[in-house]
Amino acid sequence: MNVHESEKLYAAFAREGVTAADGMENADIIVFNTCCVREGAETRVLGNLGPVKRLKAERPDIIVAVCGCMTQQADIADKLHKRCPFINIITGTYSLGALPQMVKAVEAGEKFILDLAVDESVPGGVDEAAPSVGVNRFVNIMYGCNNFCTYCIVPYVKGRERSRRAEDIRRETEMLVRGGAKEITLLGQNVNSYRDESGRDFYALLSMLAEIDGKFWIKFMTSHPKDLSENVIRLIGREDKLANYIHLPVQSGSDTILKKMNRGYDSASYLKKIDAVREHIPGAGITSDIIVGFPTETEEDFRATLALVEKVRYNNLFMFIYSKRAGTPAAAMDEQIPEDVKKARIAELIGVQAKIANELAEEHIGLTCEALCDGRGRRATAKTSDDRVIVFDDEGRDLYNEFVTLEITAAENSKLYGRLRK
């Protein structure tokens, strides 16, 4: 989602005649689009501002802007301004589209602009964005979140859920397909709770998009387990344009921890959703997020997570050590887990998942599948409908952004290797 916001920012600047510099040292405008989901993201922003300070001292006319989720928090924005007074513009998540106008104001003499205005209106029309790096194209279908998981800052910086009109999403998707897009990812904090002003839900939206002419795949993220319906699962299973891939973040295998996270489901109901996916979507690729070391997590809780991972056997896992987010309930909980315990647990989880991923990869040797080429050369890459990456030799042909048929010939450390079928 952060990548797509940056694409829209780039497009907004391009409409004003601004082009990309070939490096920060040659830029007239430097923009940091921030994230605050994890502490590491904020730390990287502060680390990258050091070189900018030196550059600004050498070239005072450079305009520096910091925007996005991190700076939507008023206390963070204030601390940032005091720590880095050389920044010209600080704005949050709601005013990104106005950033080129803020730059013009600074060029006209404004010394500093702070804009943390909140606007939870639903944007109408088609979003204009610069093309993504790679074959994937993104389409926002909704903004904000109503779930208030106790570890998550998103509802506080993105606001409540609000969905774009289905007709606008369809027009945007059609435009991307006409432009050659073969893979489109629908974005939302919880796509399963999509519902536009006319009452169309996520099932209705997916059905509408699957009717668009052309050969392409639709993926989506993120999918909240409590809201993933069986009719959506069945729809994916019968519609070729809907990729056989679901990212379904479980976060923990412990019912005790899930309740403290305010996730709205338990491990049994989550596994029931997994069973439905396996039943109705043949060969489905399933990935997930897991947080290790949530406050109060016992060894028994962690073992429950390992057991769930071994039962589901995910294609891939995105694994994170719990990171305190100021202002969230979890940050104030007692029994915060020591760092050494968290690191030991995530290392064990990584090892378990690596073994599973290797075994699943080996099961694919000898299979033939369709994939979308997203890399060029003798070590070209292609991605399957179930989100597996295959390395292959393109035999000197430019197959980028084309569907190819590959026979999988080998697997190494969960990576698949294949060859073109004639």
Side-chain angles (χ1 to χ4, degrees), residues 189-202:
Q189 293 299 143
N190 177 13
V191 292
N192 295 318
S193 60
Y194 172 88
R195 186 173 295 273
D196 75 358
E197 60 188 14
S198 67
R200 279 170 292 202
D201 62 8
F202 192 48

Side-chain angles (χ1 to χ4, degrees), residues 375-391:
R376 295 180 168 98
R378 290 188 60 82
R379 290 182 61 83
T381 55
K383 190 174 289 185
T384 63
S385 175
D386 62 344
D387 213 51
R388 294 183 183 278
V389 176
I390 306 172
V391 180

Side-chain angles (χ1 to χ4, degrees), residues 131-419:
S132 312
V133 175
V135 301
N136 195 16
R137 297 292 179 265
F138 300 111
V139 176
N140 275 109
I141 68 169
M142 60 190 300
Y143 304 90
C145 184
N146 291 348
N147 287 305
F148 288 92
C149 300
T150 56
Y151 54 82
C152 186
I153 195 70
V154 168
Y156 304 96
V157 296
K158 291 283 194 180
R160 302 294 76 75
E161 287 179 355
R162 52 209 186 276
S163 300
R164 294 177 63 201
R165 294 174 66 247
E167 289 89 348
D168 290 341
I169 296 168
R170 175 170 180 145
R171 285 173 52 217
E172 189 169 329
T173 304
E174 287 175 330
M175 180 183 71
L176 291 171
V177 171
R178 286 196 302 270
K182 304 288 178 62
E183 180 179 90
I184 294 169
T185 301
L186 309 179
L187 299 177
Q189 293 299 143
N190 177 13
V191 292
N192 295 318
S193 60
Y194 172 88
R195 186 173 295 273
D196 75 358
E197 60 188 14
S198 67
R200 279 170 292 202
D201 62 8
F202 192 48
Y203 175 87
L205 176 66
L206 288 178
S207 300
M208 178 186 296
L209 298 181
E211 295 173 351
I212 296 173
D213 289 336
K215 183 170 177 55
F216 61 96
W217 286 334
I218 292 175
K219 298 180 179 179
F220 53 84
M221 62 170 45
T222 292
S223 196
H224 198 295
K226 71 179 175 61
D227 298 317
L228 177 61
S229 65
E230 187 160 324
N231 65 345
V232 166
I233 294 171
R234 289 175 180 271
L235 180 67
I236 295 169
R238 65 175 182 263
E239 288 286 354
D240 290 341
K241 290 190 174 89
L242 304 181
N244 292 348
Y245 168 67
I246 291 183
H247 182 67
L248 198 63
V250 66
Q251 306 300 4
S252 175
S254 163
D255 290 345
T256 301
I257 296 299
L258 288 173
K259 187 172 183 179
K260 290 181 179 179
M261 287 179 167
N262 191 36
R263 289 293 287 170
Y265 55 85
D266 58 17
S267 58
S269 61
Y270 179 88
L271 290 171
K272 188 176 180 180
K273 296 287 175 78
I274 294 294
D275 288 341
V277 170
R278 300 286 192 211
E279 178 184 355
H280 299 298
I281 309 175
I286 305 175
T287 60
S288 191
D289 298 342
I290 287 182
I291 296 173
V292 170
F294 186 81
T296 78
E297 183 187 71
T298 64
E299 188 65 21
E300 183 181 1
D301 293 325
F302 176 63
R303 295 293 146 194
T305 296
L306 290 179
L308 184 141
V309 169
E310 290 174 331
K311 183 175 181 64
V312 176
R313 294 177 64 80
Y314 295 103
N315 286 25
N316 192 16
L317 270 182
F318 299 90
M319 297 163 276
F320 306 95
I321 286 176
Y322 167 72
S323 176
K324 267 190 179 183
R325 299 286 74 202
T328 63
M333 287 181 181
D334 294 330
E335 299 182 58
Q336 299 285 329
I337 307 302
E339 282 300 312
D340 60 336
V341 174
K342 291 193 281 191
K343 289 179 180 178
R345 287 177 181 172
I346 201 165
E348 185 174 357
L349 177 62
I350 289 170
V352 168
Q353 174 58 29
K355 180 175 182 293
I356 292 170
N358 290 345
E359 292 170 352
L360 292 176
E362 289 175 357
E363 292 174 6
H364 283 69
I365 296 174
L367 300 180
T368 298
C369 59
E370 183 179 55
L372 178 62
C373 182
D374 59 358
R376 295 180 168 98
R378 290 188 60 82
R379 290 182 61 83
T381 55
K383 190 174 289 185
T384 63
S385 175
D386 62 344
D387 213 51
R388 294 183 183 278
V389 176
I390 306 172
V391 180
F392 71 103
D393 183 346
D394 70 3
E395 300 177 0
R397 299 154 60 188
D398 187 0
L399 299 170
Y400 187 76
N401 200 38
E402 297 293 336
F403 286 101
V404 295
T405 302
L406 298 172
E407 180 184 354
I408 299 171
T409 57
E412 183 180 340
N413 296 328
S414 79
K415 186 177 289 186
L416 297 176
Y417 295 83
R419 61 168 169 254

